[in-house]
Amino acid sequence: MEDIGSFLLWCVFPYLALGSFVFGTIIRFTFFRDTITAKSSELLEKKLLMIGSILFHVGIIFVFFGHVIGVLIPKAFTDWLGIPNEIYHIGALVMGGIAGFMALAGMLILSHRRFANKRVFKTSSFSDLVVDLAFLVVIVLGLAASLGEGLFLHPEFNYRLNLSVWARQLFYFRPDFHLMLQVPIVFRIHVICGLLIFAFFPYTRLIHALTLPWQYLFRSPEVYRRKPNIRGDHNRG
């Protein structure tokens, strides 16, 4: 029974979550495009929004690409480049820690703003509140996994030998759930929470992150003409 549960969690659930992300996004953009909006509350409060938004977005972008690099680049490649595992690990901890704390600080500011400011709270939907809390949880778990587990509880743990291998296996549909059983519990919870965010991504305001102003690339250029000076033209006549 334990193997069945682990198989469902690490070999079935990831595809359900990613399938929800892909097909939910397609359906949202195809049939409910008019509902995609950032719905800014800037007019209600601007200072905290600006500070928190900049910190969070800059931090989370670096965190996201750090995760992508950590998953897609195998240990054999950095070994071939001559990068010692200790140097790679220190670099990942430093850069990931800075980006993670930036994202956490930004999310704390934005969450405080959303829950403490009565006007902002009243204009927030239930999904807005859940998304804020979900990001707080997943960021804290990520920092706890990288710094707590990686530095103090399990300093010998190398996620590139199991967690990253399992993540790459998802792309060619042969994930080995036994690899995830070697991963410390905090890392596993962090992965589950991250997959849940992907699963619910298309059904929340987060979907606006995938919108790009393509119309500006293809629309005809606008021509601006100077308004004629009627009085001057009349006098010259």
Side-chain angles (χ1 to χ4, degrees):
M1 289 297 293
E2 183 178 353
D3 284 350
I4 295 177
S6 298
F7 173 81
L8 293 175
L9 184 60
W10 302 115
C11 297
V12 177
F13 169 67
Y15 291 110
L16 294 178
L18 296 176
S20 175
F21 173 79
V22 172
F23 292 107
T25 299
I26 294 173
I27 292 172
R28 185 81 181 269
F29 272 92
T30 303
F31 300 104
F32 304 98
R33 191 178 184 88
D34 292 340
T35 65
I36 300 175
T37 173
K39 194 181 175 182
S40 176
S41 58
E42 181 180 350
L43 294 177
L44 302 178
E45 196 285 326
K46 187 174 182 178
K47 184 177 180 180
L48 291 179
L49 175 63
M50 181 178 297
I51 297 173
S53 183
I54 292 174
L55 284 173
F56 171 73
H57 284 92
V58 172
I60 207 67
I61 288 172
F62 278 101
V63 166
F64 174 77
F65 284 105
H67 279 63
V68 171
I69 292 173
V71 167
L72 296 183
I73 297 181
K75 183 177 180 297
F77 182 75
T78 54
D79 289 344
W80 177 74
L81 291 177
I83 302 175
N85 184 61
E86 293 76 13
I87 300 299
Y88 177 91
H89 189 61
I90 292 173
L93 284 176
V94 172
M95 299 302 295
I98 293 174
F101 278 112
M102 284 183 64
L104 177 61
M107 201 68 248
L108 286 172
I109 293 172
L110 294 175
S111 298
H112 170 75
R113 174 182 178 273
R114 188 174 298 282
F115 284 91
N117 188 306
K118 293 182 179 180
R119 294 195 300 169
V120 176
F121 182 81
K122 288 181 179 180
T123 59
S124 301
S125 65
F126 177 73
S127 66
D128 292 335
L129 304 177
V130 172
V131 164
D132 278 19
L133 294 177
F135 268 111
L136 279 175
V137 170
V138 78
I139 293 172
V140 169
L141 284 171
L143 289 171
S146 298
L147 302 180
E149 292 276 357
L151 287 178
F152 303 106
L153 297 180
H154 298 92
E156 77 287 349
F157 172 68
N158 188 344
Y159 68 90
R160 293 196 294 165
L161 299 178
N162 36 57
L163 197 160
S164 292
V165 176
W166 167 82
R168 289 195 298 273
Q169 290 175 346
L170 291 173
F171 290 98
Y172 46 89
F173 305 102
R174 294 185 60 184
D176 181 4
F177 70 88
H178 295 97
L179 291 172
M180 290 303 293
L181 300 182
Q182 306 168 15
V183 176
I185 186 65
V186 179
F187 279 90
R188 282 184 272 175
I189 298 175
H190 176 62
V191 172
I192 292 171
C193 291
L195 288 172
L196 286 173
I197 288 180
F198 272 99
F200 290 103
F201 187 97
Y203 319 108
T204 67
R205 191 189 300 184
L206 292 173
I207 190 70
H208 82 274
L210 300 181
T211 58
L212 293 173
W214 296 112
Q215 67 273 18
Y216 293 107
L217 299 178
F218 303 105
R219 73 177 185 179
S220 299
E222 295 184 3
V223 179
Y224 291 90
R225 294 185 175 90
R226 182 179 179 182
K227 185 177 180 181
N229 189 336
I230 299 177
R231 180 179 300 177
D233 294 342
H234 177 74
N235 291 336
R236 284 196 298 269

